[in-house]
C-alpha cells in the first residue's frame, strides 16, 4: 500500500509539467503574490483564506533537542508561503505539563521554554507577517491544568483571591445531565480534591479543572489573557471548547445563553481594542447550535466557526458512493450572518470526531475506517487522512477537492499535504501528531537529536516512513501529492467565489455524482464530483443557463455548452472531479 506510485486521479487534476504531457495545456498560471493588505483594508481576509494547523513541537526542531520549536517553525515559513497558506493556527504553546498535548495550560502568559522564548515567538509573528501569513493562537478558556497557580491557590486557600476561580461543590450532585466528553478515560465530570476536601467540575480530563465563569474575576482574567496575546500582534484566536464555559442545572450545560453573552462581550472588547483580530469557534455541535456562535448583527460573536457535521459526511460519501449525506448536511446548514465564514477541515490534531452522526452512521464509520480498536479514540477515529483513505491518492484528492470547493475556509493539517501517515501504536491522539517529514534522513529532517529524545517518534517503517514520504522528494516530483495540493490551492485562490460565493446544489441523474454551483458577482464555478469507485455518466440540471459556456478551470479546455434543455451530460472516471467555469458570452448571443 504505497501512495507514492499511486496514479493521480484524472478529471480536474492540475498537472504540473508532467514529463510527456503537454506542459502548456495543463499549466496553472503562476499568480503574482497579492499585496498583503493591512487588516483594516481587508477586514474579511479570513473568508478567502487557507488555514494550516501546525503543531510547534512536531514541525521543526532548530536546536536538536528532539522538540520542535518557534525557530524551527520560523525557518519553514518559506515552505508554507510556497505552499500557499494564508494563516497558521498554532495549538497551545504555553507552559504545560503536556498531559493533553498542551491544552492543559499552566501559565497563559508565557511560552513553554521547550519551544523557545517569547522573543522567538514575536520573531515568528513578524516573519510570518512579512510573508503575508497571519498567526492564529489557540486559547483554552474553559479550563486550566491542575498545575496552574490559580488552581493550586484555589485548592489550598478557598477563601483567598482564587478560591472561587473553579467550580467547587461539597457533593457531586449538580449538572448530572452534562455528557462526558472523554469517555475513554473519565467516568464523571466531578473529581474529588483531597486538598480542599471538595469536588471540582471538569468537562475534559480530571487534571483539567473548569474555570468558574460565573465569577467576574475569572471573566476579567481571561480577557486580560487575550489582550496580552493581541498586544503581541497575533491576528486571531481560536476559542477552544467554547460551548462549555457556563453550567446550569437541569441542562446539558452546553451553549447556554450566559456562554453566548460572554463570547459577545469578548468580541466587543476585540472590536474596540484590537479591530480586525478574528475569533474562531471550536464548537462541536449541530449546525443550528453552531450558527449561534456567529452571534447577531447587533451582538456579533465569532468570525469563523468550524463546521463539524459536514466532515464525517465527506468520508461516509466515499464509502456509500452517494451524495445524500453531503446534500442533507448542506441543506441543514443555516445561512451565515454577514461577515461570517465556516471553517472546514478533513483532519486535525484530534480524533476524527463522530459525535455529530447517528449511532448507525457511527457504526458504519467505525466499520469502514477504524476496524481495529486502537484506531479509535473517545467518540472518533484517530487516523491521518492518507491511511484513513487506504492510501488511495484518488480518494484523498477528491476529499480535498470537496474541502476546497464546498462553502467555508479550509483548514489543512500539517503533513496531510504530503500524504503523511500515522502511528496507531502511540497513545491517545499522538498517532496523528508525529514529526513532520522534511527529508529521508532517520530524523526526517525534523531533528537530529537521538531517537530516544524525540518528543514523539518519527514513523520509521512502511509506506509512510520518511524515505517514502518527505517534503524534499515531494517538491522535486511534479506529480507528488504536495505539488498537486499546491496547484489546487493556487487554483482556488483564483476564484474568490469559493470563499465568498453562494452555493446551489444541482439535480444530478446519478446520486454518486455530486454537483453544485459556487457563485459570486464575477464568477460561476460548477463543481462536479464522482463519489463512486467506478466511472459515471450523469446529466446535471443547470436551470436558466441554456447556452452558457463551460471551461475546465484546471486545463483551460472548453467543455460542451449547456444544452437547450438546460442540462449537461458529463462523464467522470472513478473519484474524479471537475471545476468548470460557467460563462455567458453576451457578444456571441448578439451576433447570432
Ligand atoms: C482540543 C483537544 C483537547 C480538548 C480539551 C479540545 O477541543 O482540540 O485537543 O484535548 O479541547 O482541552
Amino acid at each position: 500500500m504505497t501512495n507514492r506510485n499511486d496514479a493521480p486521479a484524472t478529471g480536474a487534476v492540475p498537472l504540473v509539467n508532467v514529463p510527456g504531457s503537454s506542459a502548456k495545456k495543463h499549466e496553472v498560471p503562476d499568480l503574482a503574490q497579492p499585496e498583503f493588505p493591512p487588516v483594516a483594508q481587508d477586514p474579511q481576509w479570513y473568508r478567502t483564506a487557507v488555514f494550516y494547523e501546525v503543531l510547534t513541537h512536531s514541525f521543526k526542531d532548530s536546536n536538536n533537542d528532539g522538540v520542535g520549536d518557534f525557530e524551527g517553525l520560523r525557518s519553514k515559513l518559506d515552505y508554507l508561503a510556497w505552499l500557499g497558506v494564508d494563516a497558521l493556527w498554532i495549538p497551545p504553546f504555553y507552559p504545560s505539563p503536556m498531559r493533553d498535548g498542551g491544552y492543559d495550560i499552566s501559565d497563559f502568559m508565557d511560552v513553554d521554554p521547550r519551544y523557545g522564548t517569547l522573543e522567538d515567538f514575536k520573531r515568528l509573528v513578524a516573519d510570518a507577517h512579512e510573508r503575508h501569513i497571519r498567526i492564529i493562537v489557540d486559547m483554552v478558556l474553559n479550563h486550566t491544568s491542575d498545575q496552574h497557580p490559580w488552581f493550586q491557590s484555589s485548592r489550598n486557600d478557598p477563601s483567598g483571591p482564587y478560591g472561587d476561580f473553579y467550580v467547587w461543590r461539597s457533593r457531586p450532585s449538580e449538572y448530572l445531565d452534562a455528557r462526558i466528553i472523554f469517555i475513554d478515560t473519565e467516568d464523571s465530570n466531578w473529581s474529588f480534591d483531597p486538598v480542599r476536601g471538595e469536588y471540582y467540575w471538569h468537562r475534559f480530563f480530571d487534571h483539567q479543572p473548569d474555570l468558574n465563569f460565573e465569577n467576574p474575576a475569572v471573566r476579567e482574567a481571561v480577557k486580560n489573557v487575550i489582550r496580552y496575546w493581541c498586544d503581541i500582534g497575533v491576528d486571531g484566536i481560536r476559542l477552544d471548547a467554547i460551548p462549555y464555559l457556563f453550567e446550569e442545572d437541569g441542562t446539558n450545560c452546553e451553549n447556554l445563553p450566559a456562554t453566548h453573552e460572554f463570547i459577545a462581550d469578548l468580541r466587543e472588547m476585540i472590536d474596540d481594542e484590537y479591530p480586525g483580530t478574528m475569533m474562531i469557534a471550536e464548537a462541536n455541535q449541530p449546525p443550528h447550535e453552531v450558527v449561534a456562535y456567529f452571534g447577531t448583527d447587533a451582538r456579533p460573536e465569532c468570525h469563523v466557526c468550524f463546521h463539524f457535521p459536514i466532515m464525517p459526511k465527506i468520508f461516509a460519501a466515499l464509502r456509500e458512493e452517494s451524495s445524500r449525506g453531503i446534500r442533507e448536511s448542506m441543506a441543514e446548514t443555516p445561512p451565515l450572518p454577514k461577515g461570517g465564514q465556516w471553517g472546514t477541515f478533513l483532519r486535525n490534531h484530534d480524533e476524527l470526531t463522530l459525535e455529530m452522526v447517528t449511532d448507525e452512521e457511527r457504526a458504519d464509520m467505525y466499520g469502514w475506517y477504524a476496524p481495529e480498536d486502537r484506531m479509535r479514540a473517545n467518540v472518533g477515529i484517530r487516523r491521518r487522512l492518507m491511511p484513513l483513505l487506504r492510501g488511495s491518492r484518488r480518494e484523498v484528492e477528491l476529499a480535498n477537492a470537496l474541502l476546497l470547493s464546498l462553502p467555508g475556509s479550509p483548514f489543512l493539517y500539517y503533513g496531510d499535504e504530503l500524504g503523511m501517515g500515522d502511528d496507531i501504536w502511540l497513545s491517545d491522539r499522538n498517532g496523528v501528531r508525529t514529526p513532520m517529514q522534511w527529508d529521508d534522513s532517520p530524523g526526517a529532517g525534523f531533528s537530529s537529536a537521538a531517537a530516544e529524545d524525540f518528543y514523539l517518534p518519527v514513523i520509521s517503517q512502511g509506506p509512510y516512513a520518511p524515505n517514502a514520504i518527505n517534503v524534499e522528494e515531494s517538491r522535486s516530483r511534479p506529480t507528488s501529492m504536495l505539488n498537486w495540493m499546491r496547484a489546487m490551492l493556487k487554483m482556488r485562490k483564483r476564484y474568490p467565489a469559493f470563499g465568498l460565493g453562494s452555493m446551489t446544489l444541482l439535480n444530478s441523474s446519478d446520486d454518486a455524482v455530486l454537483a453544485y454551483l459556487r457563485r459570486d458577482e464575477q464568477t460561476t464555478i460548477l463543481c462536479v464530483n464522482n463519489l463512486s469507485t467506478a466511472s459515471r455518466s450523469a446529466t446535471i440540471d443547470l436551470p436558466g443557463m441554456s447556452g452558457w459556456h463551460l471551461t475546465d478551470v484546471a486545463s483551460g479546455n472548453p467543455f460542451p455548452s449547456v444544452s437547450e434543455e438546460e442540462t449537461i451530460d458529463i462523464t467522470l472516471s472513478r473519484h474524479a472531479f471537475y471545476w468548470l467555469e460557467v460563462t455567458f458570452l453576451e457578444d456571441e448571443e448578439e451576433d447570432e
Side-chain angles (χ1 to χ4, degrees):
M1 183 181 71
T2 169
N3 51 36
R4 191 165 151 187
N5 299 318
D6 196 2
T10 50
V13 183
L15 294 176
V16 224
N17 292 340
V18 180
S21 77
S22 153
K24 264 243 142 53
K25 211 162 147 195
H26 292 288
E27 222 168 43
V28 177
D30 216 297
L31 294 180
Q33 268 285 10
E35 281 296 296
F36 189 51
V39 168
Q41 278 173 30
D42 183 15
Q44 295 194 6
W45 62 270
Y46 52 86
R47 293 181 68 203
T48 48
V50 171
F51 292 77
Y52 184 96
E53 179 187 4
V54 56
L55 303 183
T56 311
H57 53 65
S58 292
F59 205 57
K60 173 71 187 165
D61 174 16
S62 73
N63 59 353
N64 293 315
D65 62 355
V67 185
D69 44 45
F70 298 131
E71 281 296 281
L73 174 50
R74 194 166 71 89
S75 72
K76 295 299 184 185
L77 287 171
D78 285 335
Y79 164 76
L80 296 165
W82 170 84
L83 179 60
V85 164
D86 301 298
L88 299 182
W89 153 27
I90 314 182
F93 46 75
Y94 319 103
S96 160
M98 291 300 278
R99 295 178 66 194
D100 181 18
Y103 284 86
D104 47 332
I105 297 171
S106 55
D107 181 354
F108 285 111
M109 301 213 197
D110 204 351
V111 302
D112 194 300
R114 282 171 288 197
Y115 306 142
T117 62
L118 197 57
E119 286 313 306
D120 293 342
F121 179 76
K122 290 180 184 167
R123 245 195 315 274
L124 171 69
V125 175
D127 281 18
H129 285 171
E130 237 170 60
R131 287 164 180 77
H132 310 168
I133 294 176
R134 291 184 163 97
I135 299 285
I136 312 299
V137 294
D138 215 321
M139 201 43 72
V140 186
L141 307 184
N142 181 64
H143 48 268
T144 68
S145 157
D146 59 5
Q147 299 308 303
H148 197 291
W150 293 346
F151 186 73
Q152 290 303 320
S153 170
S154 198
R155 74 197 309 201
N156 284 302
D157 184 9
S159 52
Y162 298 98
D164 197 26
F165 255 50
Y166 295 83
V167 184
W168 295 101
R169 295 290 183 273
S170 50
R171 289 189 311 122
S173 55
E174 276 173 70
Y175 315 142
L176 299 182
D177 296 330
R179 71 193 162 114
I180 293 167
I181 296 169
F182 284 171
I183 51 164
D184 277 7
T185 48
E186 306 304 314
D187 50 23
S188 169
N189 287 324
W190 290 108
S191 285
F192 185 71
D193 177 41
V195 177
R196 176 149 159 166
E198 284 190 308
Y199 291 85
Y200 61 91
W201 177 251
H202 57 89
R203 289 310 299 268
F204 294 93
F205 289 120
D206 63 0
H207 56 79
Q208 288 168 318
D210 275 33
L211 286 164
N212 174 19
F213 274 81
E214 297 286 352
N215 180 351
V218 166
R219 300 200 293 272
E220 200 43 40
V222 160
K223 283 184 178 170
N224 284 338
V225 166
I226 289 178
R227 287 188 174 106
Y228 179 81
W229 291 101
C230 289
D231 282 336
I232 284 176
V234 303
D235 305 284
I237 295 155
R238 170 190 181 265
L239 301 172
D240 182 69
I242 50 168
Y244 320 111
L245 301 187
F246 282 79
E247 296 77 36
E248 193 181 310
D249 220 8
T251 73
N252 65 359
C253 296
E254 301 185 11
N255 315 314
L256 295 176
T259 296
H260 283 290
E261 203 37 47
F262 176 72
I263 306 291
D265 278 355
L266 210 56
R267 172 67 182 267
E268 200 177 314
M269 176 196 101
I270 292 248
D271 284 352
D272 281 355
E273 299 175 29
Y274 306 97
T277 305
M278 65 169 307
M279 291 165 46
I280 305 178
E282 189 218 18
N284 186 358
Q285 302 284 322
H288 68 276
E289 299 278 11
V290 180
V291 82
Y293 287 95
F294 288 108
T296 59
D297 283 349
R299 287 287 279 159
E301 296 183 28
C302 295
H303 302 75
V304 170
C305 294
F306 284 114
H307 197 313
F308 278 91
I310 187 74
M311 179 272 296
K313 303 291 179 187
I314 293 177
F315 291 106
L318 292 174
R319 292 293 165 269
E320 287 173 340
E321 304 192 19
S322 161
S323 59
R324 184 193 48 85
I326 297 178
R327 286 169 170 274
E328 282 173 6
S329 182
M330 289 320 303
E332 282 164 15
T333 299
L336 284 173
K338 216 169 73 216
Q341 178 64 307
W342 294 109
T344 48
F345 60 99
L346 295 169
R347 293 296 300 109
N348 61 24
H349 68 287
D350 283 329
E351 71 277 17
L352 186 169
T353 168
L354 296 175
E355 281 167 330
M356 289 302 114
V357 300
T358 63
D359 291 349
E360 203 178 303
E361 289 167 333
R362 191 173 309 118
D364 283 343
M365 286 289 286
Y366 279 138
W368 292 320
Y369 289 116
E372 290 178 47
D373 245 13
R374 71 171 67 88
M375 297 173 173
R376 305 176 186 185
N378 299 314
V379 188
I381 299 171
R382 49 191 208 106
R383 305 225 65 190
R384 261 196 188 266
L385 186 60
M386 187 59 93
L388 188 73
L389 294 176
R390 312 180 287 205
S392 163
R393 170 87 180 260
R394 282 170 173 266
E395 289 190 12
V396 169
E397 288 184 359
L398 178 57
N400 273 304
L402 289 163
L403 176 77
L404 298 180
S405 62
L406 286 168
S409 289
F411 282 67
L412 312 178
Y413 184 51
Y414 85 97
D416 280 352
E417 74 273 23
L418 298 178
M420 254 176 67
D422 52 34
D423 181 347
I424 57 175
W425 295 94
L426 296 177
S427 64
D428 196 5
R429 291 148 290 173
N430 287 335
V432 302
R433 301 173 181 178
T434 59
M436 179 73 172
Q437 297 174 187
W438 296 103
D439 63 33
D440 64 1
S441 63
F446 161 71
S447 174
S448 51
E452 63 272 20
D453 291 335
F454 273 47
Y455 171 72
L456 287 172
V458 168
I459 291 168
S460 58
Q461 304 169 12
Y464 297 107
N467 59 4
I469 307 283
N470 68 69
V471 172
E472 192 177 77
E473 189 276 338
S474 297
R475 270 185 88 151
S476 66
R477 183 162 48 91
T479 56
S480 68
M481 176 77 213
L482 177 63
N483 277 315
W484 179 88
M485 198 66 201
R486 177 173 182 253
M488 286 294 285
L489 297 185
K490 272 192 181 176
M491 204 153 79
R492 184 180 198 275
K493 210 155 275 184
R494 271 162 52 199
Y495 297 100
F498 285 123
L500 306 174
S502 62
M503 188 233 197
T504 313
L505 284 164
L506 300 170
N507 283 333
S508 159
S509 62
D510 186 335
D511 172 53
V513 177
L514 171 66
Y516 44 88
L517 288 178
R518 299 302 317 276
R519 196 168 204 180
D520 66 6
E521 275 158 21
Q522 281 75 43
T523 327
T524 303
I525 310 281
L526 166 62
C527 305
V528 192
N529 307 276
N530 179 9
L531 302 163
S532 159
T533 49
S535 316
R536 296 286 180 128
S537 219
T539 302
I540 314 282
D541 290 349
L542 284 155
M545 298 179 102
S546 167
W548 285 50
H549 293 255
L550 300 177
T551 309
D552 178 25
V553 165
S555 63
N557 290 332
F559 270 45
S561 302
V562 182
S563 71
E564 275 179 18
E565 290 75 38
E566 305 183 338
T567 61
I568 59 158
D569 293 326
I570 192 161
T571 302
L572 301 99
S573 61
R574 67 185 166 105
H575 294 139
F577 65 90
Y578 288 107
W579 291 356
L580 303 168
E581 188 168 353
V582 197
T583 42
F584 181 66
L585 302 181
E586 272 178 68
D587 292 345
E588 194 180 282
E589 289 289 305
E590 277 162 18
D591 291 348
E592 276 168 11

